[in-house]
Amino acid sequence: FIRGGFGGKTIFPSKVMGTEGTDDFAGLIFEEATKRKMDVFFGLYTSNLCWNDGDVGTEIFKNRYFIDEVWSRYGDYPAFKGWYLPQEVDCERLGFSEILRGLSALCKDKTPDKQVLISPFFKNNVEYKDGKSPRENVEEWNRIFAHGGKDIDICAFQDGTAPLGLMDDYFGLMADLCKEYDIAHWVNVELFERDVRQMYYPIPFSQLKPKIENHKKYAEKMISFEFSHFLSPQSIYPSAHNLNNLYKNYYLK
């Protein structure tokens, strides 16, 4: 789950967040994941996409009780693998180092044996006027990890923000940095085409395949965003059905 709670919504009936009438979607997934011996990382609460312009104190305070409630409801499920921090950034802004340190510490205090996963993105120098080179990105994240990364177990950068021709530079350097901090280096393979603005569509297999092949050099594991929209045979997009067939025919044959 990317977010267990967002603004005034949750994915289960939460007393802490005042959403008692909500269907227990989280419980359904834990039940089905347990049957299939799958792992679930539970996303924490975030007030909005910029957590009220960096209101670190409120964000940490709310999550303290949210984490307690989630663990009391679902902690007995064997599928409960760890936690996901939904505050996604590209650099030090909105008090991110404090968010990282505070929320990961809450997770570890409650569940010392559960992993904490983050999935940030690169501020590249192709899409952003004030973007950073691969080396500058790594220097930025070195400072972030040094301040707030003590309890982070896994980092999976979103690959759509690393231009294909520079992926070796971005992910090669990041893999080395994660190793320094004893953080598992995963990659979040984005399944939509970023070059299409206003609306995201499933990525062509001709663009997906070279990303996957490149990540084999550096990634300990690959995850994706987002199967249900862009790769599922049940997606509303016909092109997702085709992408699913192409993926299976190539990688699962």
Side-chain angles (χ1 to χ4, degrees):
F1 300 114
I2 294 178
R3 306 176 189 97
F6 183 75
K9 300 177 181 179
T10 58
I11 59 173
F12 65 93
S14 169
K15 293 181 180 179
V16 168
M17 295 299 170
T19 58
E20 290 93 334
T22 301
D23 289 336
D24 191 7
F25 179 65
L28 169 66
I29 296 300
F30 273 114
E31 289 282 352
E32 296 303 317
T34 298
K35 292 176 187 176
R36 293 161 175 78
K37 296 181 171 57
M38 298 172 71
D39 294 332
V40 174
F41 282 82
F42 201 101
L44 302 187
Y45 170 84
T46 184
S47 52
N48 49 48
L49 294 180
C50 64
W51 45 103
N52 296 316
D53 293 321
D55 185 355
V56 174
T58 300
E59 205 80 351
I60 293 175
F61 177 79
K62 288 185 176 181
N63 270 291
R64 181 185 303 276
Y65 298 100
F66 187 75
I67 290 168
D68 286 345
E69 185 176 33
V70 169
W71 185 246
S72 69
R73 291 182 64 97
Y74 308 113
D76 289 336
Y77 281 101
F80 202 124
K81 182 71 171 180
W83 304 92
Y84 178 70
L85 307 190
Q87 291 78 9
E88 298 174 4
V89 296
D90 52 358
C91 61
E92 179 55 72
R93 58 188 176 91
L94 300 173
F96 180 69
S97 289
E98 291 299 323
I99 283 280
L100 192 67
R101 183 170 64 177
L103 294 184
S104 60
L106 288 178
C107 293
K108 288 296 186 181
D109 286 346
K110 175 60 63 174
T111 57
D113 61 330
K114 301 300 180 185
Q115 295 179 312
V116 178
L117 164 68
I118 62 171
S119 184
F121 53 98
F122 294 113
K123 190 169 189 177
N124 65 64
N125 54 10
V126 175
E127 294 182 279
Y128 301 92
K129 291 182 179 179
D130 59 341
K132 300 176 182 294
S133 69
R135 175 61 62 183
E136 290 170 330
N137 268 279
V138 168
E139 292 171 352
E140 177 84 352
W141 281 91
N142 183 35
R143 291 189 288 270
I144 292 172
F145 286 155
H147 184 74
K150 180 176 74 71
D151 292 316
I152 301 302
D153 298 292
I154 305 163
C155 179
F157 266 87
Q158 302 167 25
D159 72 350
T161 55
L164 190 59
L166 296 174
M167 278 195 174
D168 277 345
D169 297 324
Y170 278 96
F171 284 105
L173 290 171
M174 190 53 62
D176 291 339
L177 180 66
C178 286
K179 188 175 182 179
E180 288 182 29
Y181 285 92
D182 196 26
I183 295 172
H185 179 251
W186 293 8
V187 174
N188 188 345
V189 182
E190 293 186 322
L191 301 174
F192 59 88
E193 196 170 9
R194 279 185 174 269
D195 292 339
V196 180
R197 297 304 175 193
Q198 307 305 321
M199 179 68 76
Y200 291 144
Y201 299 105
I203 193 172
F205 187 68
S206 60
Q207 295 180 27
L208 175 61
K209 178 175 171 284
K211 293 202 302 180
I212 292 174
E213 294 304 308
N214 189 87
H215 297 329
K216 289 179 180 179
K217 304 175 190 176
Y218 310 110
E220 298 176 41
K221 187 183 290 290
M222 294 181 221
I223 58 176
S224 69
F225 184 89
E226 171 185 56
F227 175 84
S228 58
H229 278 108
F230 305 118
L231 189 58
S232 171
Q234 280 80 45
S235 171
I236 63 171
Y237 297 120
S239 55
H241 309 175
N242 186 50
L243 183 62
N244 182 279
N245 287 329
L246 291 169
Y247 176 87
K248 288 191 298 184
N249 288 339
Y250 188 84
Y251 283 109
L252 305 180
K253 58 187 177 182

